[in-house]
Amino acid sequence: MIALLSSRHEPRQNHLLAALPADVFDRIFPHLELVAMPLGDVLCESGGQLQHVYFPTTATVSLHYIMENGASAEIAGVGNEGVLGVSLFMGGDTTPSRAAVSTGGHGYRLKAKMMMEEFNRAGPMMRLMLRYTQALITQISQTAVCNRHHSVEQQLCRWLLLTLDRTPVNELTMTQELIAGMLGVRREGITEIAGNLQREGLISYRRGHITVLNRAGLETHACECYQVVKKELHRLLSDAGNIRKLTTHRAEAPPANGGWQ
């Protein structure tokens, strides 16, 4: 079974791992563990400390802030573009959010100790993780603004599009109740909006399966927040790719005048 899974999954399906220079990737590769991430699996509770960082490949993880009365809402999502566990290398150790799998799939985990050893080298891993953290902060900030100023329909379309960006298919397995919990709104509101989007031919919804039929049309219903988050992530990861090329170039090029100046 392990051999079969390995043939279908590869760490570089995660964009952060793919952006690492070869020497860094080769160093952590033996310690990356392929794990199943089923829908609803809680990876970390609010106030908990992660023993691993997670690099999703086909799964998506939802970060929820939990109120004292038990109410919650998603503040950010993490998929194949990112990593779960920024609190480890940002010095906070614990996180105020709960991390639960919102789209079932797979990912790779790395022990916290190994992550910190690589991060503390103050090399490409550190720079890459800090860039991703900036993108995550942008997503959290934009979500807060979106929840305050935009309609539930716009929020739902934004959430669907960001989730689709992290998955290899155009279908999501997600009940309306779960989506309502993500957005922190009533399920009845999601039911009405999903019905409207389906009548317009933008999505198909049946028994907990959402299929996007017209992505361009869905984007016209989303607010500006979707493009803001997407563009910032693309900008930062494009920079990460440039760092990888620069690091590789430096490693291969002979030192000028006997060494670095």
Side-chain angles (χ1 to χ4, degrees):
M1 174 61 76
I2 294 177
L4 178 61
L5 286 176
S6 299
S7 67
R8 292 188 288 114
H9 298 277
E10 208 279 324
R12 288 191 178 92
Q13 290 173 323
N14 178 279
H15 299 170
L16 293 183
L17 294 178
L20 288 172
D23 60 327
V24 178
F25 181 83
D26 291 343
R27 193 157 49 235
I28 68 170
F29 177 75
H31 306 281
L32 291 171
E33 180 186 0
L34 176 65
V35 291
M37 302 172 70
L39 175 65
D41 192 23
V42 177
L43 302 177
C44 184
E45 288 286 0
S46 175
Q49 185 173 17
L50 285 168
Q51 300 303 311
H52 300 82
V53 292
Y54 291 80
F55 296 91
T57 51
T58 57
T60 302
V61 179
S62 176
L63 305 183
H64 281 251
Y65 191 87
I66 313 298
M67 305 294 288
E68 289 183 357
N69 64 0
S72 69
E74 183 183 79
I75 58 175
V78 180
N80 59 5
E81 84 292 350
V83 61
L84 172 65
V86 299
S87 60
L88 288 173
F89 50 80
M90 294 302 290
D93 291 332
T94 62
T95 174
S97 60
R98 172 192 291 167
V101 178
S102 55
T103 304
H106 288 81
Y108 288 82
R109 70 181 185 181
L110 180 68
K111 288 183 178 179
K113 179 182 177 182
M114 291 296 305
M115 180 63 169
M116 290 311 301
E117 287 179 0
E118 192 61 48
F119 185 87
N120 289 332
R121 291 174 182 268
M125 177 68 88
M126 183 190 73
R127 293 192 290 273
L128 182 62
M129 292 301 106
L130 292 179
R131 277 178 169 77
Y132 172 70
T133 300
Q134 181 177 336
L136 186 63
I137 291 172
T138 298
Q139 184 185 167
I140 294 172
S141 302
Q142 204 69 33
T143 299
V145 173
C146 186
N147 291 347
R148 177 64 180 84
H149 292 285
H150 294 145
S151 68
V152 177
E153 179 182 81
Q154 290 174 313
Q155 293 176 48
L156 174 59
C157 292
R158 181 256 303 166
W159 184 86
L160 286 173
L161 289 166
L162 286 174
T163 303
L164 283 173
D165 286 345
R166 302 177 175 117
T167 60
V169 296
N170 67 337
E171 180 177 304
L172 304 175
T173 301
M174 179 71 62
T175 65
Q176 293 180 0
E177 185 174 359
L178 284 175
I179 295 175
M182 299 284 183
L183 300 180
V185 299
R186 297 173 67 245
R187 182 182 61 81
E188 291 78 6
I190 297 298
T191 300
E192 180 181 354
I193 293 168
N196 293 337
L197 295 176
Q198 184 163 248
R199 282 188 289 273
E200 290 186 46
L202 303 181
I203 68 170
S204 172
Y205 181 82
R206 184 179 182 183
R207 296 180 180 178
H209 292 272
I210 302 175
T211 303
V212 174
L213 305 175
N214 185 344
R215 185 187 178 96
L218 198 63
E219 290 187 18
T220 64
H221 285 259
C223 51
E224 65 203 63
C225 300
Y226 167 63
Q227 288 296 337
V228 170
V229 172
K230 183 176 180 179
K231 287 179 180 178
E232 180 67 355
L233 180 64
H234 177 74
R235 181 182 73 85
L236 291 168
L237 287 188
S238 294
D239 288 346
N242 291 335
I243 283 183
R244 178 186 179 186
K245 294 176 183 177
L246 179 60
T247 305
T248 303
H249 173 71
R250 285 177 174 173
E252 294 176 350
N257 300 323
W260 294 106
Q261 298 299 313

